[in-house]
Amino acid sequence: MKKFRKVLDGLTTSSPGATVGSPSCGSAAGTPTAAPTPKEIDVQETLVSENFQLCKTVRHGFPYQPTALAFDPVQKILAIGSRSGGVRILGRPGVDCYCQHESGAAVLQLQFLINEGALVSACADDTLHLWNLRQRRPAILHSLKFNRERITFCHLPFQSKWLYVGTERGNTHIVNIESFVLSGYVIMWNKAIELSTKTHPGPVVHLSDSPKDEGKLLIGFESGTIVQWDLRGKKADFRIYYDEAIHSVSWHHEGKQFMCSHSDGSLTLWNLRNTTKPFQVTFPHGKIQKDARKESCKPILKVEYKTCRNSEPFVIFSGGLSYDKAGRRPALTIMHGKAITVLEMDYPIVEFMVLCETPYNNEVQEPYAVVVLLEKDLIVVDLTQSNYPVFENPYPMDIHESPVTCTAYFADCPPDIIPILYSIGAKHKKTGYSQKEWPISGGTWTLGSHTYPEIIITGHADGSIKFWDASAITLQMLYKMKTSKVFEKPKAGEGRAAELVEEDPFAIQMVSWCPQSRMFCVVGISAHIILYRFSKYDANTQIVSLEVRLQCDSDDVISPSENENNPSFSEPGSHSPQPHHHHQHPASPGSRTPEGIKDSIPCLKVKDRAVRVPPGYQSELVIQLLWVDGEPPQQITSLDINSAYGLLAFGNCNGLAVVDYLQKTVILCMSTLDLYGSTDPYQRLTRSPRRNRQSTSGLTELTDNQQSIDMERNKSPTSGHASRRAMLQQLHGVTMYSHDEHHSTTSYCWSDRESRENSFTRSRSSSVSSIDRDTKEAVTTLQFGESYGRKNDVLPTPCLWVGTSLGVVLLIPMSIPTDQEERMEEPVTMGVSGAVLMLKGSVLRFSFLDCMGALIQPPYEVWRDHNAPEDPDRPRRRKLVHFSPSSSQDACGDGHLAVVCSERQAKVFLMPSQSCLFVHNITESSFVLRADVVSVCNSVCLACFCANGHVMTLSLPSLRPLMDVNYLPLTDMRIARTFYFTNGGQALYLSSPTEVQRITYSQEMCDNLQEMLGELFTPIETPEAQNRGFLKGFFGGNAHTFDREELFGEAAAGKASRSLAQHIPGQGGVEGMKVAASGVVGELARARIALDERGQRLGELEERTALMMTSAEAFSKHAHELMLKCKDKKWYQF
């Protein structure tokens, strides 16, 4: 614990921990100030590096680019593999686990060890992995890397420890699941097919044991060859040569028939009595044409043949539709008796799996549901009802319904906000779902003790906003709103539609939410802002629209003395342009200049009629930036709203505007340069005219699979200015500059749908020519709060803190009427000649601490429902809550600390003296993308995320480094755009276009994480096999006498070639190894080995006993014979 003492007056930076000056001094020499007598700052910092640890907590959303599916019918848990090597394991709501293969290779296939708490994954790098699921965070116990052959198919029979592995060469290998070692028993392709066959049968596409006899293995080859292999006799029982390629095979539970799906869209049914030709051939979707030929159909990629006790069997397959019908969506077909039902899907089918009542393949299957894994969705269909309804999915699988373009994360929200949002959102829920319980119900999860209300907000490309309940590491949709409803839809063929180059004109760029006042503000891609109020009542409202002209005129030479000649910028503090209301001045082609150049029109048209709005968030005000002389408005880069002041501020690369949303007026609209007045640190008095705009034809994109040219060239997102600029352009959607950059620019955009989902990046206007760069200073961050606008201020007043891309901090003091009636009539005045502070790099974040080091929250208005019925006895008044720095601690005197973070450094200033108390250069080689002042462990710290992937925390106010972890490399801008820190040591970002990854940097939460996660494995009795009956058992083969150990064990089959596969022990961790040792795999192995050893010793003992008995009998016999021989002899006859 350290103590830091600083003098309140105008002292410059000094070393942390030292006491400079004397409490009796007035002020530093030459620094006039009207501040009270200085007193020492005595901040006791409680945070130490031991309070911080970085780890992933939970991943939400749909697995990106899924490839494989598996289900444990006893444990009732589902596993989904992905192309990036991820495995997602799902059970009941709350049981949601994400694992990642270190290699990053795509998952080809997943197989559960049913009811044993383990999972086998086969990856595209030809490696098998065994995962232990008997711990909250699964770990790999064993891996087996094939060196000479490529894995194509795996099959693990129920209650077997031998895994069959088919390869591209057509061979079938057998792996011991306990030891993860290859058996010497191999079914070579040339032994499986007849010697007379001249062609290779192709890769193995199917393996399954016969339901009638486990000693028979059915092998399907891609070419159409099917072999039933007798494992005991090491020979083929029969071979089928069919002229259509096979995609999948499925047995009838009695083991006398099986069905195949083929590449020509046909299904063949084979009977084991006669394998020379198929018993039945059907083309489910192939109609006979006029010339008696069948329609050509797409391949049936998978078929499942499932029997029912009281009805006809189910035949369920994917694909097989006819080619001639263009535009047909992917479909799953369910054939039940003579009824054929085609379920059309929104996305291509990756895999499906029928869920059955029994895990035994030789019993009546009784299917009850089918899980369909689509490219971008997970659907479960109820088979028990004739109309096949889908189950309501309890997981948040629709985060990506429209591409996510921004996020916000709020921990420790007011407890009443979640139930209110949920009750309003519940009214709009879809109906028609199955009434049955969600069938994936495995695992256990309990609400941990370390929970508090958390909300995640996602903004989307279609202009929609979603509020999610993120409490207790779960995610549940609360409420959805569509910002596009505020605007008219552009009609096809109209001039406006052609002008809209944006494919998603309503896309959300940033959001600002005050949970206490429930005010909500969104910024859209079309340079528009929508302000929402929350109400429990529906209402008829007329949407008020303000149009703001915030554009630097190209040929004007601007200096501080010429403000009166410029129509866009007038005298500081008194500029109040009249708002343009859409219903008064609708934008029309007439608002163009005679040459046809668009001028003074917005990008979108607000609805000019009264609209009925439901309960929830209701639009109160729309602000739009206007086109100027044919130039589109620049995108908005910063926003802040304060409900206590009734003000909204926003900025872009042209300047700053402040709107009074209570009076619906613009109170400030100025270029960044004019905000300085005479205090411009760069002394820029003229602006050069802009040259002709550069062409935007050569646009580059940053996607998941393609890094920018700059990143390719530099091999690091931080090793050059070009990469940095590219990231900033993508992050903010505009061209921005810092004073350390002087080189050409490139615009980044998104054009097709896939690149939009990967990276929301576009610049509406062309790049600005280099001659104009020094004056193109963007407003990068804004913050309202009670502060001291000038050095000689005695009392704090409402202020607006403005940060720019050149590292300049401006303070704008404001005068706001305090009386409620005056507030609605008297204008708010702003004096722009406030304080100026400097940092290195673009300013990212402001925050304020009192002199004891506690966080000062911005003032807010307590929420009240504007649409509630009026009570004449109790007129509604605004109730404001202020956190004034002077009232929170009288003992420490007046003043407060301002924490300012830029992309290069952080500084702590003492206000009102503006002396810099602490400085910390966060990074030299990289730059900060996201910075927030957050509360952790009853204290506060500054959390930063850098472009080089480092996550850092700094103490406050001393800016001591507490944590610096190289967490993840920034491979695309989606992470930078969506990274968000919040209180309680938590953060989130979009790890893929469809998934939200939550992380914690708090040691306390890391310690409690195990308690918060769900258990994947629960001890359940394996259901007993049905009694087969004497005759069935007698005539149905000797399935239960088959001992795989005898055939595949080392004693019988020998060892496999060492060069064929390499065993790699898993990095399961201490807990994993402990659990594994006591878990099923280890326990079974130990028990079996112990039993074998005991049996062996008992056998040896029995043999020795038998030998001794034989020896004793022989001895007795010889002794008796000798006695008889010598009975009558005298002693001297010997």
Side-chain angles (χ1 to χ4, degrees), residues 172-201:
T172 302
H173 299 277
I174 299 163
V175 177
N176 185 316
I177 286 296
E178 289 171 357
S179 61
F180 241 57
V181 172
L182 270 179
S183 165
Y185 193 116
V186 184
I187 306 169
M188 303 298 288
W189 69 270
N190 53 357
K191 298 279 178 65
I193 64 168
E194 286 179 321
L195 294 173
S196 59
T197 309
K198 294 179 181 177
T199 55
H200 190 278

Side-chain angles (χ1 to χ4, degrees), residues 645-877:
Y645 301 159
L647 299 178
L648 183 155
F650 62 93
N652 64 7
C653 61
N654 288 327
L656 168 72
V658 181
V659 171
D660 182 341
Y661 68 78
L662 296 176
Q663 296 185 26
K664 310 290 190 293
T665 56
V666 180
I667 58 173
L668 182 77
C669 181
M670 302 187 92
S671 74
T672 324
L673 187 58
D674 289 320
L675 289 173
Y676 291 108
S678 59
T679 58
D680 183 4
Y682 294 110
Q683 298 299 312
R684 294 162 296 180
L685 295 180
T686 61
R687 178 179 295 112
S688 305
R690 283 175 284 186
R691 292 177 181 168
N692 292 331
R693 295 279 166 162
Q694 297 172 2
S695 166
T696 57
S697 57
L699 298 175
T700 315
E701 292 156 7
L702 263 180
T703 67
D704 270 358
N705 304 318
Q706 170 197 350
Q707 292 184 331
S708 73
I709 295 166
D710 290 319
M711 289 190 188
E712 293 273 337
R713 187 183 302 127
N714 298 319
K715 298 184 181 177
S716 162
T718 62
S719 55
H721 291 304
S723 296
R724 173 187 168 282
R725 257 198 347 280
M727 288 188 183
L728 290 177
Q729 279 183 240
Q730 296 207 52
L731 187 60
H732 298 288
V734 295
T735 310
M736 292 199 322
Y737 308 96
S738 289
H739 52 274
D740 56 345
E741 297 178 8
H742 301 280
H743 28 59
S744 63
T745 65
T746 311
S747 289
Y748 287 82
C749 81
W750 58 352
S751 55
D752 56 50
R753 189 146 199 88
E754 189 58 40
S755 70
R756 270 207 322 281
E757 291 178 11
N758 292 338
S759 180
F760 174 68
T761 56
R762 51 192 161 170
S763 177
R764 296 180 60 92
S765 66
S766 311
S767 304
V768 186
S769 60
S770 58
I771 204 164
D772 187 38
R773 278 192 195 133
D774 290 335
T775 53
K776 201 80 171 176
E777 183 178 4
V779 176
T780 52
T781 186
L782 294 163
Q783 179 76 54
F784 285 107
E786 299 283 306
S787 188
Y788 302 86
R790 297 173 184 84
K791 283 189 178 182
N792 56 358
D793 282 357
V794 178
L795 295 173
T797 57
C799 287
L800 174 62
W801 286 66
V802 182
T804 76
S805 56
L806 294 186
V808 178
V809 178
L810 297 160
L811 268 78
I812 302 177
M814 302 179 293
S815 174
I816 302 173
T818 52
D819 181 73
Q820 182 166 343
E821 291 175 4
E822 286 182 10
R823 176 65 188 86
M824 299 305 294
E825 294 169 3
E826 296 293 321
V828 174
T829 56
M830 305 185 72
V832 293
S833 56
V836 177
L837 310 170
M838 294 288 294
L839 284 89
K840 274 196 284 184
S842 181
V843 182
L844 299 177
R845 185 69 65 231
F846 298 120
S847 194
F848 310 118
L849 309 178
D850 63 23
C851 292
M852 299 295 288
L855 192 64
I856 302 171
Q857 299 290 349
Y860 64 86
E861 177 189 358
V862 177
W863 175 75
R864 57 198 172 97
D865 199 328
H866 280 248
N867 296 335
E870 289 280 356
D871 185 353
D873 299 330
R874 297 179 62 190
R876 285 182 302 193
R877 296 189 63 82

